[in-house]
Amino acid sequence: MRRCYINASGRRLWPRAGAPTGADPGLESSVTVLPARLPNLQMEGLYSHFATADSESTAFAGMQQRRFGRLLAQLAKEGVAVPVVHPANSGGVLNLPGSYHRMVRPGLILY
């Protein structure tokens, strides 16, 4: 997750956070803790990276997609709005149409 700092003036920051959906499931909760506890922090966006979405088997990427969905649901339950959601990288664009949300990140497939 990107680190951000809120200054004493109360200026609001709009960070984008990376969801560690392929790592230890306990790390996902770190994404939900900060927005709930810091009133000057407003989430601009949330993304992940499907490292194996371009592989022959999308089982691991599918698991990541489900974790990402649970994380979005948890954020919504806690009243945290995330305007821009974009977990789909090139492999996700090609193989996981359910991961598109508001935006996609087609990197290598553009070349």
Side-chain angles (χ1 to χ4, degrees):
M1 187 163 131
R2 293 183 182 173
R3 293 182 187 269
C4 62
Y5 301 93
I6 299 174
N7 62 22
S9 70
R11 184 170 176 226
R12 293 184 181 269
L13 302 177
W14 293 272
R16 293 202 182 182
T21 57
D24 179 358
L27 292 176
E28 293 169 30
S29 63
S30 67
V31 176
T32 62
V33 170
L34 281 180
R37 292 189 183 163
L38 300 174
N40 288 338
L41 180 69
Q42 294 180 340
M43 296 282 289
E44 177 188 64
L46 185 66
Y47 65 93
S48 190
H49 179 76
F50 300 128
T52 62
D54 57 354
S55 300
E56 190 172 312
S57 171
T58 59
F60 187 76
M63 180 270 306
Q64 286 185 275
Q65 187 175 2
R66 289 186 297 279
R67 283 183 174 179
F68 194 83
R70 287 194 301 268
L71 177 58
L72 286 175
Q74 181 64 32
L75 286 167
K77 181 180 172 184
E78 294 180 18
V80 177
V82 183
V84 182
V85 176
H86 53 101
N89 56 359
S90 291
V93 169
L94 294 173
N95 299 318
L96 300 170
S99 69
Y100 292 177
H101 296 275
R102 295 272 319 257
M103 194 169 93
V104 296
R105 297 184 326 277
L108 290 176
I109 62 172
L110 296 177
Y111 294 100

